[in-house]
Amino acid sequence: MHKRPASPADLPRSVPIFPLSGALLLPFSHRPLNIFEPRYVRMIDDALAGDRLIGLIQPLDTTEESPRGRADLQKVGCVGRLTHWEENGDDRYFVILEGVTRFELVSELTVMTPYRQATVSATPFANDFDREHGEEAVDRTRFLKMMRDYAEFGEFDLNWDEIEKTGTADLVNFCCMVSPYGAREKQVLLEAKSLADRAETLIALAEFEIAKAGEGAPVLQ
């Protein structure tokens, strides 16, 4: 069994690339994916036979969810490790990717596989391998207030007992991944220089959304 990479040096020089608009994956977070296109079914087959690593990255043009050909890609994505997979018949997979580390796209390779492959570097993101890195700089109290305000705004319940037990890094990254924002905002969250920056960016997005909705609310007489 291939172990989870523990440093940039543990990553292979190249990884399969899965361009997917609006899909955010962050270190130690989990993203479920339904795989049905033949090119990506082959990618999963090959990854399972190898090191189980896939690079999730957004295309620059977000009008297509998963563009064909060599559409231009963002410069930063996230390597995910296949931790769960199910064959659903008719050449389909349900998989779960666990985020390992962000990466810089160095160069795309010329390959014979139906899916794309690229040389990547995780060196700029070496801290991603430390699950708790940067937690002390996050204003957890302010972040939890944002969660409460947004839950009230969206009229949904949160399991606060579970939230209180969750580490700050995991909490921030999970909230970013399930946030309802578009591809551009998801890329900003991915590329945040620190966990604290990511938390503050999500707070700002939520506050803006709440304020904007309030501006459109009818005035009571």
Side-chain angles (χ1 to χ4, degrees), residues 40-94:
Y40 296 130
V41 171
R42 168 74 179 277
M43 179 184 68
I44 298 298
D45 285 339
D46 290 350
L48 289 174
D51 52 25
R52 293 170 31 193
L53 300 176
I54 292 169
L56 196 65
I57 192 167
Q58 293 203 90
L60 285 178
D61 182 358
T62 59
T63 56
E64 274 191 276
E65 184 180 41
S66 184
R68 293 188 174 275
R70 292 174 72 93
D72 291 336
L73 303 173
Q74 294 284 355
K75 293 300 182 185
V76 177
C78 186
V79 172
R81 181 171 176 265
L82 288 163
T83 57
H84 176 86
W85 56 93
E86 299 173 12
E87 292 183 275
N88 290 338
D90 298 324
D91 294 323
R92 290 172 176 257
Y93 276 111
F94 171 76

Side-chain angles (χ1 to χ4, degrees), residues 140 144 147-148 157-167 171:
R140 185 179 172 103
L144 290 175
M147 291 183 66
R148 291 183 185 278
D157 294 325
L158 295 175
N159 186 336
W160 290 105
D161 288 339
E162 198 62 34
I163 287 170
E164 291 296 339
K165 299 178 200 173
T166 302
L171 186 62

Side-chain angles (χ1 to χ4, degrees), residues 63-177:
T63 56
E64 274 191 276
E65 184 180 41
S66 184
R68 293 188 174 275
R70 292 174 72 93
D72 291 336
L73 303 173
Q74 294 284 355
K75 293 300 182 185
V76 177
C78 186
V79 172
R81 181 171 176 265
L82 288 163
T83 57
H84 176 86
W85 56 93
E86 299 173 12
E87 292 183 275
N88 290 338
D90 298 324
D91 294 323
R92 290 172 176 257
Y93 276 111
F94 171 76
V95 303
I96 294 178
L97 281 181
E98 179 185 60
V100 174
T101 177
R102 292 170 293 169
F103 64 83
E104 283 187 349
L105 186 66
V106 177
S107 62
E108 190 159 353
L109 303 175
T110 300
V111 293
M112 298 299 293
T113 55
Y115 55 86
R116 300 164 74 173
Q117 299 184 50
T119 302
V120 301
S121 173
T123 302
F125 306 108
N127 290 328
D128 284 358
F129 293 89
D130 178 355
R131 187 169 195 153
E132 299 175 353
H133 181 80
E135 285 190 336
E136 68 287 346
V138 176
D139 187 339
R140 185 179 172 103
T141 300
R142 175 169 153 78
F143 192 82
L144 290 175
K145 181 181 183 304
M146 178 275 294
M147 291 183 66
R148 291 183 185 278
D149 291 345
Y150 198 84
E152 182 178 349
F153 165 72
E155 298 182 337
F156 56 84
D157 294 325
L158 295 175
N159 186 336
W160 290 105
D161 288 339
E162 198 62 34
I163 287 170
E164 291 296 339
K165 299 178 200 173
T166 302
T168 300
D170 285 347
L171 186 62
V172 170
N173 288 338
F174 173 77
C175 287
C176 288
M177 285 187 51

